């Protein structure tokens, strides 16, 4: 068993680049309420639930809060898509910060390898052969692309692409750097002052590079819906910068009082992002994070179709564009044969589906501008749960009751007969066999102050290790 030390929750400490870098004060654990407001999944009420391994989830955060549970396979509905996947079921926890949320849906990528735990990979394929999972006949995979945009009151997830009617101008496309939703940033200015002074003998700033006609140095910036503020490196990032960018930012703030916009340069294009009490800026060791202020102004498109290279798009959102509202209490009737939601009257599952395309829109609710919460369906018949949506991780877990007494865990050893029997509707005594080999986990993030959200980041790598790893390493 591995205890994954990962971050999530207001005031929790996160870790950056797989190194536990404590850059703020963590809060003492407040014990959970005797009557938490979150819902729990009932595995005994689902005809498609399969237990994979008991006690296989053990997640410990840096402030010592802990999640315990088991590993399972179940159907998940997100917008107009319904797929079978691996996930974590949380039964026990020790912090009040989990009292009012039903779980977490990480929509990160982390790499196109066989046993990636990313739900995004499951949604975009007809099968996960390394898990012995086949989707129901007739399932049309989601194009591996999505867009995210937000307001102070909510957000919108666009599955399968982006809606050009939301844009005020072009969608500017840039290469994605590595396996996270990062782009190369060559300049950030605040009050006209350059914040990125690179330790480069040829050109230490974008202006110098342009004057010399040479390639400008760059630093990766990560788009993350799980970070409330824009974050600047508060160190020299192991000598990458001459001066910490956040140090320069604070100096300019003192010399020129009042809020001024940040001007980022990506691929030769400038993007202006406001700063204010709501559009906050914080220091974060070596991390450069493009957080919620970006999503409130732009539509951020994540294009991972094919085998790469992948791209990130940034397009200004129309001021007149209305985000899909979060209809948490109204749901369409689900046609489980093809995974499409059939809307009746006003029951639209927070979903608007474009007739001429595969685009599916889902509305999210903002919880005090700290988290974006999205409605997902779990199991058969569907049990609706509200979970945190986070593009900075691919953790998928919900709070759940214990599996039925006497249920035998399928583990990793049995054949795939159970999957096909469940999907065909035939009864079977064989549990689902989901092949899985564990991975090496690392975490990425920054510390968050009180009333600002942080989140869990678990990036997996394929390994031939034993099968006793928790669900983040699926």
């Amino acid at each position: 068993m591995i205890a994954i030390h990962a971050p999530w929750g207001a005031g929790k400490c996160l870790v950056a680049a797989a190194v536990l870098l404590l850059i703020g004060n963590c809060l003492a654990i407040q014990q959970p309420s005797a009557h938490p407001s979150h819902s729990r999944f009932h595995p005994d009420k689902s005809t498609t639930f399969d237990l994979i391994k008991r006690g296989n989830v053990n997640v410990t955060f840096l402030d010592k809060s802990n999640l315990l549970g088991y590993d399972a396979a179940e159907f998940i509905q997100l917008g107009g898509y319904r797929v079978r996947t691996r996930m974590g079921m949380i039964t026990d926890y020790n912090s009040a910060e989990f009292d009012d949320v039903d779980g977490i849906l990480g929509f990160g990528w982390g790499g196109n390898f066989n046993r990636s735990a990313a739900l995004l990979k499951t949604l975009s394929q007809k099968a996960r052969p390394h898990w012995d999972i086949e989707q129901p006949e007739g399932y049309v995979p989601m194009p591996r692309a999505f867009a995210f945009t937000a307001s102070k009151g909510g957000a919108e997830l666009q599955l399968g692409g982006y809606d050009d009617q939301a844009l005020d101008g072009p969608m500017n496309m840039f290469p994605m750097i590595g396996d996270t939703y990062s782009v190369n940033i060559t300049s950030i200015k605040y009050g006209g002052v350059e914040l990125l002074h690179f330790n480069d003998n040829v050109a230490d700033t974008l202006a110098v590079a342009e004057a010399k006609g040479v390639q400008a140095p760059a630093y990766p910036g990560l788009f993350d819906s799980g970070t409330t503020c824009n974050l600047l490196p508060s160190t020299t990032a192991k000598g990458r910068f001459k001066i910490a960018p956040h140090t320069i930012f604070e100096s300019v703030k003192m010399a020129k009082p009042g809020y001024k916009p940040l001007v980022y340069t990506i691929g030769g294009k400038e993007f202006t992002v406001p700063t204010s009490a709501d559009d906050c800026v914080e220091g974060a060791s070596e991390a450069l994070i493009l957080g919620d202020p970006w999503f409130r102004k732009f539509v951020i498109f994540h294009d991972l179709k094919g085998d790469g290279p992948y791209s990130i798009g940034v397009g200004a959102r129309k001021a007149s564009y209305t985000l899909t509202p979060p209809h948490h209490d109204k749901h369409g009737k689900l046609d489980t044969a093809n995974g499409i939601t059939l809307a009746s009257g006003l029951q639209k599952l927070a979903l608007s589906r474009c007739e001429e395309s595969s685009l599916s829109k889902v509305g999210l609710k903002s919880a005090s501008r700290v988290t974006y919460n999205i409605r997902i369906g779990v199991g058969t018949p569907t049990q609706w749960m509200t979970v945190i949506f986070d593009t900075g991780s691919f953790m998928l877990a919900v709070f759940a009751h214990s599996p039925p007494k006497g249920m035998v865990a399928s583990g990793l050893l049995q054949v795939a007969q159970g999957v096909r029997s469940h999907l065909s509707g035939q009864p079977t005594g064989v549990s689902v066999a989901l092949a899985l080999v564990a991975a090496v986990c690392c975490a990425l993030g920054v510390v968050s102050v009180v009333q600002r959200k942080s989140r869990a980041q678990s990036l997996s790598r394929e390994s031939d290790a034993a099968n006793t790893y928790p669900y983040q390493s699926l």
Side-chain angles (χ1 to χ4, degrees), residues 13-41:
C13 297
L14 289 94
V15 289
V19 180
L20 305 183
L21 298 174
L22 189 60
I23 47 178
N25 293 323
C26 288
L27 300 178
I29 295 177
Q30 181 182 354
Q31 292 301 307
S33 168
H35 303 285
S37 60
H38 64 232
S39 299
R40 284 180 179 259
F41 175 69

Side-chain angles (χ1 to χ4, degrees), residues 88-404:
M89 298 287 178
I90 306 302
T91 54
D92 298 286
Y93 66 109
N94 67 347
S95 173
E97 294 188 21
F98 303 112
D99 280 348
D100 58 357
V101 64
D102 300 345
I104 183 170
L105 169 59
F107 224 58
W109 181 234
N112 190 18
F113 52 98
N114 289 333
R115 296 178 179 91
S116 164
L119 180 63
L120 185 57
K121 185 177 181 70
T122 306
L123 288 166
S124 57
Q125 299 181 173
K126 287 189 175 182
R128 296 295 302 269
H130 290 79
W131 288 351
D132 290 331
I133 285 181
E134 296 178 9
Q135 302 305 339
E137 185 177 354
Y139 175 73
V140 179
M142 184 189 86
R144 192 178 297 156
F146 71 96
F148 190 77
T149 189
S151 67
K152 291 183 178 180
E156 181 176 277
L157 174 62
Q158 301 176 0
L159 296 169
Y162 68 89
D163 184 358
D164 57 7
Q165 296 301 309
L167 299 182
D168 186 10
M171 178 64 77
N172 303 283
M173 301 302 297
F174 306 102
M176 190 174 101
I177 306 303
D179 291 332
T180 62
Y181 303 138
S182 299
V183 293
N184 270 333
I185 297 177
T186 54
S187 171
I188 305 175
K189 290 184 178 180
Y190 183 72
V193 178
E194 179 63 64
L195 304 184
L196 302 187
H197 289 264
F198 293 91
N199 228 339
D200 190 298
N201 294 329
V202 178
D204 63 348
T205 66
L206 173 61
V208 172
E210 289 177 339
K212 292 184 175 182
V214 298
Q215 183 174 352
Y219 196 79
L222 171 69
F223 285 103
D224 180 17
S225 69
T227 301
T228 305
C229 304
N230 283 324
L231 304 175
L232 299 171
S234 59
T235 69
T236 61
K238 296 183 175 66
R240 189 72 180 91
F241 300 108
K242 292 180 177 178
I243 307 173
H246 189 256
T247 299
I248 302 175
F249 171 80
E250 289 294 334
S251 298
V252 176
K253 278 182 62 179
M254 292 183 64
K256 301 179 179 181
Y259 293 110
K260 299 169 182 60
L262 287 165
V263 181
Y264 295 73
T265 300
I266 306 171
K269 298 182 182 295
E270 290 188 346
F271 298 92
T272 301
V273 181
T275 67
S276 66
D278 292 330
D279 300 303
C280 47
V281 181
E282 296 289 341
S285 189
E286 299 178 13
L288 201 169
I289 307 292
L290 312 180
D292 289 352
W294 278 82
F295 295 101
R296 286 195 288 267
K297 183 173 181 179
F298 300 98
V299 177
I300 307 300
F301 176 51
H302 311 71
D303 187 0
L304 294 96
K305 295 188 291 291
D307 295 325
Y310 302 133
S311 301
I312 300 293
V314 181
R317 192 178 73 225
K318 286 180 181 177
S320 59
Y321 182 74
T322 301
L323 273 61
T324 302
H327 295 161
H328 283 271
D329 299 321
K330 300 291 185 180
H331 311 292
K333 181 179 179 182
L334 183 65
D335 179 354
T336 56
N338 57 25
I340 296 177
T341 297
L342 304 178
S344 59
L346 297 178
Q347 296 183 325
K348 294 184 181 296
L349 182 64
L351 165 71
S352 56
R353 194 168 180 85
C354 300
E355 295 290 341
E356 67 280 3
S357 74
S358 59
L359 190 68
S360 174
K361 297 181 184 178
V362 185
L364 293 82
K365 184 178 181 180
S366 176
S368 301
R369 294 199 295 269
V370 173
T371 62
Y372 293 112
N373 297 338
I374 192 168
R375 195 81 165 175
I376 64 172
V378 185
T380 309
T382 304
Q383 299 175 41
W384 295 101
M385 310 189 78
T386 300
V387 299
I388 290 175
F389 178 82
D390 178 20
T391 62
S393 71
F394 50 73
M395 175 186 291
L396 172 58
V398 296
F399 285 97
H401 294 282
S402 298

Side-chain angles (χ1 to χ4, degrees), residues 4 6-7 59 110 392-395 441-444 456-460 472-473:
I4 300 298
V59 183
S393 71
F394 50 73
M395 175 186 291
C441 292
C442 67
L444 171 66
Q457 167 81 357
S458 299
L459 302 180
S460 300
Q472 293 100 316
S473 306

